[in-house]
Amino acid sequence: MKKIRYLGLTGGIASGKSTVGRLFEKLGAFVIDADEISRAVMKKGGSAYNDIIDHFGESILEKDGEIDRKKLKEIVFNNPDKKKKLEEITHPKILQYEKELVSNFKSKNDKDLIITQAALIVEKGTYTRFDAVILIYVDKKTQLERLLKRDGIDETLAKKIIDSQMSFDEKMKYATFVIDNSGTIENTEREVRRVFELINKLNYCARHQKAYDINFTGVQ
């Protein structure tokens, strides 16, 4: 049994990755938010900015020269080819930024858990770089309601975005742990603590070469 130190945290859009990430942070994990990295590389002067403008044109810019992310989202989710192109531009930049953060943290700390929260680690095959994958579950009705409230987009676009993503059942094949975020924040806190304590127990067993039999996912 190997030690679990570097984890990927994933789920569909509006499943609550940021919420769950913050809860892990409170427990002492070092959490990297891929969305924040995406914003950083897409900002004016960021590593992906010029390539995005070259491909999508200046019509996606706001008055201050920053990329209008809402406008860009509407473009790519209505055109699979453009969505693929945006991912081809941004994902290598995001991964490089993340690697630098992880390397810097590991050079200063050799114990705490490192968690990267990102939407597409299964779809892009980048889950293989993690010791384990945490998948967030949320039912479709709750997911749609949260997306509409969060992004202020129309229901047709919201459903299109959700339907364009890999299903939860498919992602389950790659998950080591599952956290249910369909209910109250109190329930999610219990779920996060359950997984955090389980990881610590598994790491203890790995250090002491002990067996530990458990239902990792929490799914009955």
Side-chain angles (χ1 to χ4, degrees):
M1 182 188 299
K2 69 176 182 179
K3 183 178 180 182
I4 298 172
R5 190 180 178 206
Y6 187 26
L7 299 103
L9 172 64
T10 193
I13 190 168
S15 60
K17 291 182 293 295
S18 296
T19 297
V20 172
R22 284 193 294 270
L23 292 172
F24 273 112
E25 224 166 18
K26 285 183 179 180
L27 293 173
F30 175 62
V31 179
I32 299 168
D33 186 342
D35 284 342
E36 288 184 3
I37 296 176
S38 174
R39 284 190 283 271
V41 301
M42 290 173 64
K43 280 184 68 68
K44 194 173 183 178
S47 58
Y49 179 87
N50 288 334
D51 289 341
I52 293 172
I53 304 306
D54 288 344
H55 186 79
F56 291 93
E58 296 185 358
S59 63
I60 63 169
L61 296 179
E62 298 177 332
K63 291 181 179 179
D64 60 1
E66 295 290 351
I67 293 171
D68 185 330
R69 291 172 62 87
K70 185 176 180 181
K71 184 180 290 185
L72 184 58
K73 182 182 290 185
E74 290 173 350
I75 291 171
V76 300
F77 279 107
N78 282 295
N79 188 314
D81 290 337
K82 290 184 177 181
K83 180 174 181 288
K84 181 180 178 182
K85 182 61 182 179
L86 180 63
E87 291 170 355
E88 288 174 352
I89 293 171
T90 58
H91 285 179
K93 310 289 188 184
I94 292 169
L95 280 175
Q96 181 58 38
Y97 197 119
E98 179 196 333
K99 286 178 182 177
E100 291 170 3
L101 288 175
V102 172
S103 178
N104 183 55
F105 182 78
K106 282 185 174 180
S107 69
K108 298 174 181 177
N109 185 311
D110 62 357
K111 293 181 181 178
D112 290 341
L113 296 179
I114 304 169
I115 297 175
T116 290
Q117 59 186 59
L120 299 176
I121 62 174
V122 172
E123 291 87 334
K124 294 300 176 182
T126 56
Y127 66 90
T128 56
R129 73 188 191 274
F130 300 110
D131 300 325
V133 172
I134 303 169
L135 177 60
I136 303 173
Y137 169 76
V138 63
D139 64 82
K140 281 285 187 70
K141 181 175 181 291
T142 302
Q143 184 182 27
L144 178 60
E145 290 172 351
R146 289 176 180 173
L147 180 57
L148 291 171
K149 183 178 180 180
R150 188 192 75 182
D151 288 6
I153 57 179
D154 65 71
E155 188 169 330
T156 300
L157 177 58
K159 287 181 176 178
K160 186 177 291 187
I161 292 172
I162 292 172
D163 291 342
S164 73
Q165 297 187 334
M166 184 184 290
S167 70
F168 173 81
D169 288 342
E170 186 64 24
K171 286 187 177 184
M172 264 289 290
K173 299 174 184 177
Y174 304 87
T176 317
F177 310 97
V178 173
I179 288 175
D180 186 346
N181 189 34
S182 296
T184 64
I185 186 63
E186 289 79 15
N187 183 69
T188 302
E189 287 174 346
R190 286 192 293 270
E191 286 278 284
V192 169
R193 184 170 291 279
R194 173 183 65 81
V195 170
F196 185 79
E197 291 175 352
L198 176 53
I199 293 168
N200 286 333
K201 288 177 181 177
L202 290 169
N203 284 338
Y204 173 85
C205 292
R207 286 195 302 272
H208 297 277
Q209 298 183 335
K210 294 183 177 182
Y212 195 77
D213 187 17
I214 192 76
N215 179 359
F216 289 5
T217 65
V219 177
Q220 302 303 317

PDB file of all heavy atoms in Angstrom, residues 81-109:
ATOM      1  N   ASP A  81     -15.958  22.254 -31.357  1.00  0.00           N
ATOM      2  CA  ASP A  81     -14.613  22.446 -31.908  1.00  0.00           C
ATOM      3  C   ASP A  81     -13.902  23.611 -31.215  1.00  0.00           C
ATOM      4  O   ASP A  81     -12.699  23.542 -30.938  1.00  0.00           O
ATOM      5  CB  ASP A  81     -14.679  22.704 -33.413  1.00  0.00           C
ATOM      6  CG  ASP A  81     -15.083  21.461 -34.199  1.00  0.00           C
ATOM      7  OD1 ASP A  81     -14.878  20.343 -33.673  1.00  0.00           O
ATOM      8  OD2 ASP A  81     -15.601  21.603 -35.315  1.00  0.00           O
ATOM      9  N   LYS A  82     -14.648  24.673 -30.945  1.00  0.00           N
ATOM     10  CA  LYS A  82     -14.054  25.827 -30.273  1.00  0.00           C
ATOM     11  C   LYS A  82     -13.751  25.514 -28.803  1.00  0.00           C
ATOM     12  O   LYS A  82     -12.765  25.997 -28.250  1.00  0.00           O
ATOM     13  CB  LYS A  82     -14.973  27.044 -30.390  1.00  0.00           C
ATOM     14  CG  LYS A  82     -15.050  27.593 -31.805  1.00  0.00           C
ATOM     15  CD  LYS A  82     -15.892  28.854 -31.894  1.00  0.00           C
ATOM     16  CE  LYS A  82     -15.884  29.401 -33.331  1.00  0.00           C
ATOM     17  NZ  LYS A  82     -16.679  30.643 -33.463  1.00  0.00           N
ATOM     18  N   LYS A  83     -14.611  24.698 -28.210  1.00  0.00           N
ATOM     19  CA  LYS A  83     -14.368  24.255 -26.831  1.00  0.00           C
ATOM     20  C   LYS A  83     -13.076  23.449 -26.764  1.00  0.00           C
ATOM     21  O   LYS A  83     -12.237  23.644 -25.866  1.00  0.00           O
ATOM     22  CB  LYS A  83     -15.540  23.416 -26.331  1.00  0.00           C
ATOM     23  CG  LYS A  83     -15.404  22.894 -24.902  1.00  0.00           C
ATOM     24  CD  LYS A  83     -16.690  22.195 -24.485  1.00  0.00           C
ATOM     25  CE  LYS A  83     -16.612  21.677 -23.054  1.00  0.00           C
ATOM     26  NZ  LYS A  83     -15.719  20.509 -22.935  1.00  0.00           N
ATOM     27  N   LYS A  84     -12.906  22.544 -27.726  1.00  0.00           N
ATOM     28  CA  LYS A  84     -11.699  21.724 -27.776  1.00  0.00           C
ATOM     29  C   LYS A  84     -10.462  22.598 -27.977  1.00  0.00           C
ATOM     30  O   LYS A  84      -9.421  22.373 -27.348  1.00  0.00           O
ATOM     31  CB  LYS A  84     -11.814  20.710 -28.906  1.00  0.00           C
ATOM     32  CG  LYS A  84     -10.616  19.779 -29.029  1.00  0.00           C
ATOM     33  CD  LYS A  84     -10.802  18.792 -30.176  1.00  0.00           C
ATOM     34  CE  LYS A  84      -9.577  17.889 -30.310  1.00  0.00           C
ATOM     35  NZ  LYS A  84      -9.719  16.954 -31.457  1.00  0.00           N
ATOM     36  N   LYS A  85     -10.573  23.606 -28.838  1.00  0.00           N
ATOM     37  CA  LYS A  85      -9.437  24.488 -29.101  1.00  0.00           C
ATOM     38  C   LYS A  85      -9.057  25.281 -27.849  1.00  0.00           C
ATOM     39  O   LYS A  85      -7.866  25.427 -27.531  1.00  0.00           O
ATOM     40  CB  LYS A  85      -9.771  25.454 -30.244  1.00  0.00           C
ATOM     41  CG  LYS A  85      -8.617  26.385 -30.613  1.00  0.00           C
ATOM     42  CD  LYS A  85      -7.397  25.608 -31.074  1.00  0.00           C
ATOM     43  CE  LYS A  85      -6.238  26.531 -31.394  1.00  0.00           C
ATOM     44  NZ  LYS A  85      -5.034  25.774 -31.829  1.00  0.00           N
ATOM     45  N   LEU A  86     -10.053  25.785 -27.132  1.00  0.00           N
ATOM     46  CA  LEU A  86      -9.762  26.529 -25.905  1.00  0.00           C
ATOM     47  C   LEU A  86      -9.039  25.643 -24.901  1.00  0.00           C
ATOM     48  O   LEU A  86      -8.080  26.078 -24.257  1.00  0.00           O
ATOM     49  CB  LEU A  86     -11.058  27.069 -25.297  1.00  0.00           C
ATOM     50  CG  LEU A  86     -10.892  27.871 -23.994  1.00  0.00           C
ATOM     51  CD1 LEU A  86     -10.065  29.131 -24.226  1.00  0.00           C
ATOM     52  CD2 LEU A  86     -12.253  28.230 -23.401  1.00  0.00           C
ATOM     53  N   GLU A  87      -9.485  24.402 -24.768  1.00  0.00           N
ATOM     54  CA  GLU A  87      -8.841  23.462 -23.847  1.00  0.00           C
ATOM     55  C   GLU A  87      -7.409  23.162 -24.284  1.00  0.00           C
ATOM     56  O   GLU A  87      -6.506  23.049 -23.447  1.00  0.00           O
ATOM     57  CB  GLU A  87      -9.659  22.171 -23.756  1.00  0.00           C
ATOM     58  CG  GLU A  87     -11.000  22.371 -23.052  1.00  0.00           C
ATOM     59  CD  GLU A  87     -11.915  21.163 -23.162  1.00  0.00           C
ATOM     60  OE1 GLU A  87     -11.536  20.195 -23.877  1.00  0.00           O
ATOM     61  OE2 GLU A  87     -12.987  21.176 -22.537  1.00  0.00           O
ATOM     62  N   GLU A  88      -7.192  23.049 -25.590  1.00  0.00           N
ATOM     63  CA  GLU A  88      -5.839  22.802 -26.104  1.00  0.00           C
ATOM     64  C   GLU A  88      -4.902  23.956 -25.781  1.00  0.00           C
ATOM     65  O   GLU A  88      -3.703  23.762 -25.538  1.00  0.00           O
ATOM     66  CB  GLU A  88      -5.883  22.589 -27.622  1.00  0.00           C
ATOM     67  CG  GLU A  88      -6.491  21.261 -28.037  1.00  0.00           C
ATOM     68  CD  GLU A  88      -6.654  21.146 -29.551  1.00  0.00           C
ATOM     69  OE1 GLU A  88      -6.425  22.169 -30.251  1.00  0.00           O
ATOM     70  OE2 GLU A  88      -7.014  20.062 -30.025  1.00  0.00           O
ATOM     71  N   ILE A  89      -5.453  25.167 -25.755  1.00  0.00           N
ATOM     72  CA  ILE A  89      -4.641  26.345 -25.435  1.00  0.00           C
ATOM     73  C   ILE A  89      -4.359  26.433 -23.939  1.00  0.00           C
ATOM     74  O   ILE A  89      -3.217  26.653 -23.513  1.00  0.00           O
ATOM     75  CB  ILE A  89      -5.359  27.639 -25.904  1.00  0.00           C
ATOM     76  CG1 ILE A  89      -5.432  27.688 -27.433  1.00  0.00           C
ATOM     77  CG2 ILE A  89      -4.629  28.887 -25.369  1.00  0.00           C
ATOM     78  CD1 ILE A  89      -6.314  28.806 -27.962  1.00  0.00           C
ATOM     79  N   THR A  90      -5.405  26.250 -23.127  1.00  0.00           N
ATOM     80  CA  THR A  90      -5.281  26.547 -21.697  1.00  0.00           C
ATOM     81  C   THR A  90      -4.738  25.411 -20.844  1.00  0.00           C
ATOM     82  O   THR A  90      -3.986  25.656 -19.896  1.00  0.00           O
ATOM     83  CB  THR A  90      -6.646  26.983 -21.116  1.00  0.00           C
ATOM     84  OG1 THR A  90      -7.613  25.942 -21.339  1.00  0.00           O
ATOM     85  CG2 THR A  90      -7.121  28.271 -21.769  1.00  0.00           C
ATOM     86  N   HIS A  91      -5.101  24.174 -21.151  1.00  0.00           N
ATOM     87  CA  HIS A  91      -4.752  23.070 -20.244  1.00  0.00           C
ATOM     88  C   HIS A  91      -3.250  22.868 -20.038  1.00  0.00           C
ATOM     89  O   HIS A  91      -2.818  22.663 -18.891  1.00  0.00           O
ATOM     90  CB  HIS A  91      -5.430  21.779 -20.697  1.00  0.00           C
ATOM     91  CG  HIS A  91      -6.891  21.755 -20.380  1.00  0.00           C
ATOM     92  ND1 HIS A  91      -7.727  20.710 -20.699  1.00  0.00           N
ATOM     93  CD2 HIS A  91      -7.684  22.670 -19.763  1.00  0.00           C
ATOM     94  CE1 HIS A  91      -8.954  20.976 -20.299  1.00  0.00           C
ATOM     95  NE2 HIS A  91      -8.951  22.153 -19.737  1.00  0.00           N
ATOM     96  N   PRO A  92      -2.429  22.931 -21.088  1.00  0.00           N
ATOM     97  CA  PRO A  92      -0.979  22.804 -20.841  1.00  0.00           C
ATOM     98  C   PRO A  92      -0.437  23.929 -19.949  1.00  0.00           C
ATOM     99  O   PRO A  92       0.444  23.686 -19.114  1.00  0.00           O
ATOM    100  CB  PRO A  92      -0.371  22.883 -22.252  1.00  0.00           C
ATOM    101  CG  PRO A  92      -1.464  22.456 -23.162  1.00  0.00           C
ATOM    102  CD  PRO A  92      -2.720  22.979 -22.536  1.00  0.00           C
ATOM    103  N   LYS A  93      -0.984  25.123 -20.105  1.00  0.00           N
ATOM    104  CA  LYS A  93      -0.549  26.266 -19.286  1.00  0.00           C
ATOM    105  C   LYS A  93      -0.962  26.073 -17.823  1.00  0.00           C
ATOM    106  O   LYS A  93      -0.203  26.356 -16.900  1.00  0.00           O
ATOM    107  CB  LYS A  93      -1.161  27.564 -19.813  1.00  0.00           C
ATOM    108  CG  LYS A  93      -1.005  27.804 -21.297  1.00  0.00           C
ATOM    109  CD  LYS A  93       0.399  28.125 -21.687  1.00  0.00           C
ATOM    110  CE  LYS A  93       0.461  28.543 -23.155  1.00  0.00           C
ATOM    111  NZ  LYS A  93       1.851  28.772 -23.622  1.00  0.00           N
ATOM    112  N   ILE A  94      -2.185  25.557 -17.648  1.00  0.00           N
ATOM    113  CA  ILE A  94      -2.695  25.311 -16.298  1.00  0.00           C
ATOM    114  C   ILE A  94      -1.874  24.231 -15.605  1.00  0.00           C
ATOM    115  O   ILE A  94      -1.496  24.365 -14.433  1.00  0.00           O
ATOM    116  CB  ILE A  94      -4.186  24.920 -16.353  1.00  0.00           C
ATOM    117  CG1 ILE A  94      -5.034  26.112 -16.791  1.00  0.00           C
ATOM    118  CG2 ILE A  94      -4.672  24.405 -14.997  1.00  0.00           C
ATOM    119  CD1 ILE A  94      -6.477  25.755 -17.137  1.00  0.00           C
ATOM    120  N   LEU A  95      -1.585  23.148 -16.329  1.00  0.00           N
ATOM    121  CA  LEU A  95      -0.810  22.049 -15.757  1.00  0.00           C
ATOM    122  C   LEU A  95       0.587  22.495 -15.352  1.00  0.00           C
ATOM    123  O   LEU A  95       1.086  22.121 -14.284  1.00  0.00           O
ATOM    124  CB  LEU A  95      -0.706  20.889 -16.755  1.00  0.00           C
ATOM    125  CG  LEU A  95      -1.907  19.955 -16.853  1.00  0.00           C
ATOM    126  CD1 LEU A  95      -1.702  18.944 -17.970  1.00  0.00           C
ATOM    127  CD2 LEU A  95      -2.152  19.234 -15.534  1.00  0.00           C
ATOM    128  N   GLN A  96       1.222  23.312 -16.184  1.00  0.00           N
ATOM    129  CA  GLN A  96       2.559  23.792 -15.865  1.00  0.00           C
ATOM    130  C   GLN A  96       2.550  24.666 -14.612  1.00  0.00           C
ATOM    131  O   GLN A  96       3.397  24.538 -13.729  1.00  0.00           O
ATOM    132  CB  GLN A  96       3.133  24.589 -17.042  1.00  0.00           C
ATOM    133  CG  GLN A  96       4.549  25.114 -16.833  1.00  0.00           C
ATOM    134  CD  GLN A  96       5.549  24.009 -16.530  1.00  0.00           C
ATOM    135  OE1 GLN A  96       5.465  22.914 -17.105  1.00  0.00           O
ATOM    136  NE2 GLN A  96       6.471  24.268 -15.613  1.00  0.00           N
ATOM    137  N   TYR A  97       1.568  25.546 -14.518  1.00  0.00           N
ATOM    138  CA  TYR A  97       1.405  26.424 -13.347  1.00  0.00           C
ATOM    139  C   TYR A  97       1.208  25.578 -12.094  1.00  0.00           C
ATOM    140  O   TYR A  97       1.808  25.835 -11.048  1.00  0.00           O
ATOM    141  CB  TYR A  97       0.188  27.322 -13.599  1.00  0.00           C
ATOM    142  CG  TYR A  97       0.080  28.551 -12.729  1.00  0.00           C
ATOM    143  CD1 TYR A  97       0.089  29.821 -13.288  1.00  0.00           C
ATOM    144  CD2 TYR A  97      -0.090  28.451 -11.351  1.00  0.00           C
ATOM    145  CE1 TYR A  97      -0.039  30.961 -12.505  1.00  0.00           C
ATOM    146  CE2 TYR A  97      -0.229  29.578 -10.558  1.00  0.00           C
ATOM    147  CZ  TYR A  97      -0.200  30.835 -11.135  1.00  0.00           C
ATOM    148  OH  TYR A  97      -0.337  31.950 -10.358  1.00  0.00           O
ATOM    149  N   GLU A  98       0.348  24.541 -12.214  1.00  0.00           N
ATOM    150  CA  GLU A  98       0.069  23.664 -11.075  1.00  0.00           C
ATOM    151  C   GLU A  98       1.316  22.908 -10.625  1.00  0.00           C
ATOM    152  O   GLU A  98       1.597  22.798  -9.431  1.00  0.00           O
ATOM    153  CB  GLU A  98      -1.026  22.670 -11.449  1.00  0.00           C
ATOM    154  CG  GLU A  98      -1.380  21.695 -10.345  1.00  0.00           C
ATOM    155  CD  GLU A  98      -2.171  20.508 -10.854  1.00  0.00           C
ATOM    156  OE1 GLU A  98      -2.867  20.645 -11.874  1.00  0.00           O
ATOM    157  OE2 GLU A  98      -2.074  19.441 -10.239  1.00  0.00           O
ATOM    158  N   LYS A  99       2.063  22.379 -11.579  1.00  0.00           N
ATOM    159  CA  LYS A  99       3.288  21.638 -11.258  1.00  0.00           C
ATOM    160  C   LYS A  99       4.266  22.500 -10.470  1.00  0.00           C
ATOM    161  O   LYS A  99       4.924  22.024  -9.539  1.00  0.00           O
ATOM    162  CB  LYS A  99       3.950  21.130 -12.543  1.00  0.00           C
ATOM    163  CG  LYS A  99       3.238  19.958 -13.178  1.00  0.00           C
ATOM    164  CD  LYS A  99       3.922  19.538 -14.478  1.00  0.00           C
ATOM    165  CE  LYS A  99       3.197  18.395 -15.155  1.00  0.00           C
ATOM    166  NZ  LYS A  99       3.818  18.034 -16.458  1.00  0.00           N
ATOM    167  N   GLU A 100       4.352  23.760 -10.842  1.00  0.00           N
ATOM    168  CA  GLU A 100       5.259  24.677 -10.134  1.00  0.00           C
ATOM    169  C   GLU A 100       4.792  24.901  -8.698  1.00  0.00           C
ATOM    170  O   GLU A 100       5.602  24.939  -7.766  1.00  0.00           O
ATOM    171  CB  GLU A 100       5.340  26.004 -10.889  1.00  0.00           C
ATOM    172  CG  GLU A 100       6.060  25.883 -12.229  1.00  0.00           C
ATOM    173  CD  GLU A 100       5.940  27.139 -13.086  1.00  0.00           C
ATOM    174  OE1 GLU A 100       5.337  28.128 -12.611  1.00  0.00           O
ATOM    175  OE2 GLU A 100       6.442  27.122 -14.225  1.00  0.00           O
ATOM    176  N   LEU A 101       3.463  25.025  -8.504  1.00  0.00           N
ATOM    177  CA  LEU A 101       2.918  25.197  -7.153  1.00  0.00           C
ATOM    178  C   LEU A 101       3.193  23.961  -6.295  1.00  0.00           C
ATOM    179  O   LEU A 101       3.604  24.079  -5.132  1.00  0.00           O
ATOM    180  CB  LEU A 101       1.410  25.451  -7.215  1.00  0.00           C
ATOM    181  CG  LEU A 101       0.933  26.805  -7.721  1.00  0.00           C
ATOM    182  CD1 LEU A 101      -0.584  26.813  -7.823  1.00  0.00           C
ATOM    183  CD2 LEU A 101       1.397  27.928  -6.801  1.00  0.00           C
ATOM    184  N   VAL A 102       2.958  22.775  -6.855  1.00  0.00           N
ATOM    185  CA  VAL A 102       3.164  21.522  -6.126  1.00  0.00           C
ATOM    186  C   VAL A 102       4.630  21.343  -5.770  1.00  0.00           C
ATOM    187  O   VAL A 102       4.982  20.993  -4.632  1.00  0.00           O
ATOM    188  CB  VAL A 102       2.667  20.318  -6.949  1.00  0.00           C
ATOM    189  CG1 VAL A 102       3.063  19.007  -6.274  1.00  0.00           C
ATOM    190  CG2 VAL A 102       1.153  20.378  -7.105  1.00  0.00           C
ATOM    191  N   SER A 103       5.505  21.595  -6.727  1.00  0.00           N
ATOM    192  CA  SER A 103       6.943  21.448  -6.495  1.00  0.00           C
ATOM    193  C   SER A 103       7.418  22.388  -5.402  1.00  0.00           C
ATOM    194  O   SER A 103       8.200  22.003  -4.515  1.00  0.00           O
ATOM    195  CB  SER A 103       7.703  21.722  -7.789  1.00  0.00           C
ATOM    196  OG  SER A 103       9.095  21.640  -7.582  1.00  0.00           O
ATOM    197  N   ASN A 104       6.930  23.610  -5.440  1.00  0.00           N
ATOM    198  CA  ASN A 104       7.323  24.599  -4.438  1.00  0.00           C
ATOM    199  C   ASN A 104       6.843  24.192  -3.052  1.00  0.00           C
ATOM    200  O   ASN A 104       7.573  24.298  -2.060  1.00  0.00           O
ATOM    201  CB  ASN A 104       6.752  25.967  -4.811  1.00  0.00           C
ATOM    202  CG  ASN A 104       7.188  27.063  -3.850  1.00  0.00           C
ATOM    203  OD1 ASN A 104       8.369  27.271  -3.614  1.00  0.00           O
ATOM    204  ND2 ASN A 104       6.223  27.773  -3.295  1.00  0.00           N
ATOM    205  N   PHE A 105       5.591  23.670  -2.965  1.00  0.00           N
ATOM    206  CA  PHE A 105       5.052  23.252  -1.672  1.00  0.00           C
ATOM    207  C   PHE A 105       5.807  22.047  -1.127  1.00  0.00           C
ATOM    208  O   PHE A 105       6.150  21.994   0.053  1.00  0.00           O
ATOM    209  CB  PHE A 105       3.566  22.923  -1.799  1.00  0.00           C
ATOM    210  CG  PHE A 105       2.928  22.522  -0.503  1.00  0.00           C
ATOM    211  CD1 PHE A 105       2.588  23.476   0.443  1.00  0.00           C
ATOM    212  CD2 PHE A 105       2.678  21.194  -0.218  1.00  0.00           C
ATOM    213  CE1 PHE A 105       2.011  23.107   1.652  1.00  0.00           C
ATOM    214  CE2 PHE A 105       2.097  20.814   0.981  1.00  0.00           C
ATOM    215  CZ  PHE A 105       1.765  21.774   1.924  1.00  0.00           C
ATOM    216  N   LYS A 106       6.068  21.062  -1.994  1.00  0.00           N
ATOM    217  CA  LYS A 106       6.773  19.863  -1.553  1.00  0.00           C
ATOM    218  C   LYS A 106       8.182  20.169  -1.058  1.00  0.00           C
ATOM    219  O   LYS A 106       8.688  19.485  -0.156  1.00  0.00           O
ATOM    220  CB  LYS A 106       6.844  18.848  -2.693  1.00  0.00           C
ATOM    221  CG  LYS A 106       5.548  18.091  -2.916  1.00  0.00           C
ATOM    222  CD  LYS A 106       5.727  17.016  -3.980  1.00  0.00           C
ATOM    223  CE  LYS A 106       4.486  16.155  -4.109  1.00  0.00           C
ATOM    224  NZ  LYS A 106       4.642  15.102  -5.143  1.00  0.00           N
ATOM    225  N   SER A 107       8.803  21.192  -1.628  1.00  0.00           N
ATOM    226  CA  SER A 107      10.160  21.541  -1.213  1.00  0.00           C
ATOM    227  C   SER A 107      10.192  22.127   0.197  1.00  0.00           C
ATOM    228  O   SER A 107      11.220  22.122   0.864  1.00  0.00           O
ATOM    229  CB  SER A 107      10.771  22.543  -2.193  1.00  0.00           C
ATOM    230  OG  SER A 107      10.131  23.811  -2.095  1.00  0.00           O
ATOM    231  N   LYS A 108       9.019  22.594   0.662  1.00  0.00           N
ATOM    232  CA  LYS A 108       8.947  23.209   1.986  1.00  0.00           C
ATOM    233  C   LYS A 108       8.195  22.356   3.004  1.00  0.00           C
ATOM    234  O   LYS A 108       8.246  22.622   4.205  1.00  0.00           O
ATOM    235  CB  LYS A 108       8.247  24.578   1.883  1.00  0.00           C
ATOM    236  CG  LYS A 108       8.990  25.575   1.003  1.00  0.00           C
ATOM    237  CD  LYS A 108       8.176  26.859   0.834  1.00  0.00           C
ATOM    238  CE  LYS A 108       8.890  27.847  -0.069  1.00  0.00           C
ATOM    239  NZ  LYS A 108       8.080  29.066  -0.299  1.00  0.00           N
ATOM    240  N   ASN A 109       7.469  21.343   2.521  1.00  0.00           N
ATOM    241  CA  ASN A 109       6.613  20.548   3.400  1.00  0.00           C
ATOM    242  C   ASN A 109       6.539  19.127   2.866  1.00  0.00           C
ATOM    243  O   ASN A 109       6.169  18.920   1.705  1.00  0.00           O
ATOM    244  CB  ASN A 109       5.204  21.163   3.443  1.00  0.00           C
ATOM    245  CG  ASN A 109       4.287  20.485   4.423  1.00  0.00           C
ATOM    246  OD1 ASN A 109       4.167  19.266   4.435  1.00  0.00           O
ATOM    247  ND2 ASN A 109       3.620  21.257   5.250  1.00  0.00           N
TER     248      ASN A 109
END
